[in-house]
Amino acid sequence: MEQQKKALDEKKALNKETLGKEIKILGIESSCDETAAAVVVNGRQVLSNVISSQVELHAKYGGVVPELASRKHVENISLVVQEALDKAGLGIEEIDEIAVTYGPGLVGALLVGVSFAKGLSYTSGKPLKAVNHIEAHIAANFLEDSPLDPVKQPFISLVASGGHTHLVEVFVNENQDYPSCGALSYKIHGRTRDDAVGEAYDKVARALGLGYPGGPLIDKLSKEGSPSVLFPRVFLEEGSYDFSFSGIKSAVLNYLNKSTMTGIEINKADIAASFQDALLDVLTAKTITLCKSLRMNTLTLSGGVACNSSLRGRITALCQKNNITLHMPKPIYCTDNAAMVAACAYFTKGNSAKLQLNAVPSLKIQG
Ligand code: KG4
Ligand code: ZN
């Protein structure tokens, strides 16, 4: 009890010190196939955002090859971090904190960012912050001129990416005293029970022979087709906000196999449009139903799949119809980047890390 009070007093003192001050955070991200670094002021103003994508390297294998990803991160990381500092016009001595993604993700890939950040923290004497990648996707919604203020309004966040599909309630934890920016708490209402939504896009795209990553290709192709094939909408048991996308994916694969066996010609654009229609019906319906059932009138949408033009259009229309205020980051902040990592470190101020920090590949979102 005594100790808790002391810790709270220390945090309050720290907040008084930092209130009204500019906090410049260097974010570092290497959880999958993007090596990224960014400098962000007070969790919003992006001074630089450097992303080195490995898409071309992995495309010929049809997906991310973990060992190749780690090696490429090692090659890139110091250049990417230096470029982020240069573009921000700052030296490391002018940075206040270093934030790094430590999970979830590919262990070898994560370790590159974590080790680099620890080394930089040690040599520069700057504090280190450990960031959860899923929470960082949520924090992308605070970037730039976003009016979203977690202190003023709790919100529902849909995170839809290649590795995750989460429906999360985000609010400021009143037990912690962070008046300068708030410390976020999360309550998970739904998550995928099998494939992540981006994973389903990528697998269906591969079956259609479109290439990798499949999401943007299905997005584009589906505009040329019509949703003429009825694939299943999997809603699971009543009242559940969990998702299951492996059924839709298998239905598409079965349809394609049957067509090959019977020699019936398929129209790829129609299949893409039909798959997307089924998947987005479920994703958007569950999201809006959750907002309504919790009487939450603010929704955010982020993660790589949030780049999808049809998803953006449908969710915008549904939010307008249901009086829900919608926030979506620009596409460049939806896919993996380090600006969201820096923003997350700012808004979840408590996550200080020591030099013992390790990568945690199956890290869960903090409840
Ligand atoms: O957030 P992200 O860059 O990495 C993870 O954390 O997973 O998301 C990558 C995923 C891939 O599955 C990719 O196919 C999907 O996001 N994606 C899209 C679109 N752009 C990227 N999915 C559907 N439509 C898009 N336009
Ligand atoms: Zn991601």
Side-chain angles (χ1 to χ4, degrees):
M1 202 56 194
E2 193 53 30
Q3 248 181 349
Q4 257 180 356
K5 191 177 168 306
K6 202 173 152 227
L8 201 63
D9 286 347
E10 275 171 14
K11 278 177 193 164
K12 276 186 188 168
L14 184 77
N15 266 324
K16 270 202 190 127
E17 234 175 72
T18 55
L19 204 62
K21 213 177 127 183
E22 279 200 342
I23 301 180
K24 299 182 203 77
I25 302 184
L26 169 67
I28 297 176
E29 158 66 40
S30 70
S31 65
C32 191
D33 60 344
E34 262 96 29
T35 323
V39 179
V40 178
V41 182
N42 289 354
R44 296 211 190 256
Q45 190 193 352
V46 182
L47 298 187
S48 63
N49 184 36
V50 179
I51 303 168
S52 171
S53 171
Q54 304 178 3
V55 158
E56 272 178 33
L57 173 72
H58 301 287
K60 54 181 173 287
Y61 303 101
V64 178
V65 183
E67 178 62 20
L68 294 182
S70 315
R71 285 166 192 248
K72 204 69 187 163
H73 284 309
V74 172
E75 257 176 67
N76 285 343
I77 189 118
S78 51
L79 297 171
V80 167
V81 170
Q82 189 58 55
E83 195 181 332
L85 289 170
D86 290 348
K87 284 195 168 150
L90 298 172
I92 187 69
E93 65 287 351
E94 291 162 284
I95 294 291
D96 296 291
E97 293 172 3
I98 298 165
V100 66
T101 302
Y102 74 112
L106 303 169
V107 67
L110 287 164
L111 271 173
V112 178
V114 168
S115 309
F116 190 89
K118 287 200 292 187
L120 196 58
S121 166
Y122 181 71
T123 52
S124 64
K126 303 294 175 185
L128 183 65
K129 291 281 166 78
V131 169
N132 178 312
H133 184 79
I134 308 169
E135 294 176 21
H137 272 302
I138 294 173
N141 290 286
F142 302 129
L143 287 168
E144 293 200 325
D145 48 5
S146 166
L148 186 65
D149 183 346
V151 180
K152 291 196 184 130
Q153 83 255 49
F155 57 91
I156 296 295
S157 191
L158 171 62
V159 181
S161 75
H164 321 281
T165 312
H166 280 77
L167 264 175
V168 190
E169 186 179 342
V170 185
F171 52 99
V172 168
N173 185 347
E174 287 173 5
N175 295 323
Q176 297 187 42
D177 189 38
Y178 290 121
S180 60
C181 60
L184 303 185
S185 288
Y186 307 95
K187 183 172 177 194
I188 298 181
H189 288 276
R191 55 156 64 92
T192 181
R193 293 188 186 170
D194 39 54
D195 291 354
V197 58
E199 195 179 346
Y201 266 102
D202 292 339
K203 286 177 178 166
V204 167
R206 192 195 298 192
L208 286 170
L210 299 181
Y212 174 86
L217 300 167
I218 290 193
D219 190 359
K220 196 163 163 239
L221 185 64
S222 60
K223 289 188 175 56
E224 294 161 26
S226 70
S228 50
V229 185
L230 192 69
F231 291 124
R233 275 76 173 149
V234 181
F235 279 91
L236 300 171
E237 61 279 5
E238 216 187 315
S240 170
Y241 293 102
D242 278 352
F243 299 99
S244 169
F245 296 115
S246 65
I248 304 177
K249 177 199 68 189
S250 303
V252 178
L253 300 188
N254 288 341
Y255 184 90
L256 292 175
N257 287 340
K258 239 188 225 164
S259 311
T260 313
M261 275 171 4
T262 50
I264 296 170
E265 220 175 282
I266 56 144
N267 179 326
K268 284 188 185 183
D270 285 353
I271 306 291
S274 305
F275 157 74
Q276 181 164 275
D277 204 44
L279 186 134
L280 295 187
D281 270 358
V282 179
L283 196 63
T284 53
K286 288 211 176 211
T287 303
I288 298 296
T289 310
L290 178 66
C291 291
K292 281 166 69 176
S293 79
L294 294 177
R295 294 178 199 280
M296 298 280 267
N297 59 6
T298 307
L299 172 68
T300 70
L301 171 61
S302 52
V305 180
C307 295
N308 186 276
S309 53
S310 186
L311 173 58
R312 287 174 96 91
R314 284 173 70 156
I315 207 103
T316 302
L318 283 168
C319 283
Q320 270 166 6
K321 194 170 151 212
N322 289 285
N323 276 328
I324 297 168
T325 307
L326 174 67
H327 298 269
M328 297 182 286
K330 286 201 283 210
I332 192 67
Y333 299 129
C334 286
T335 44
D336 286 351
N337 66 88
M340 68 182 194
V341 176
C344 188
Y346 181 81
F347 283 98
T348 56
K349 233 182 154 189
N351 232 351
S352 288
K354 302 262 181 297
L355 292 179
Q356 289 84 350
L357 179 69
N358 205 350
V360 183
S362 56
L363 184 69
K364 301 278 179 287
I365 193 164
Q366 309 293 311

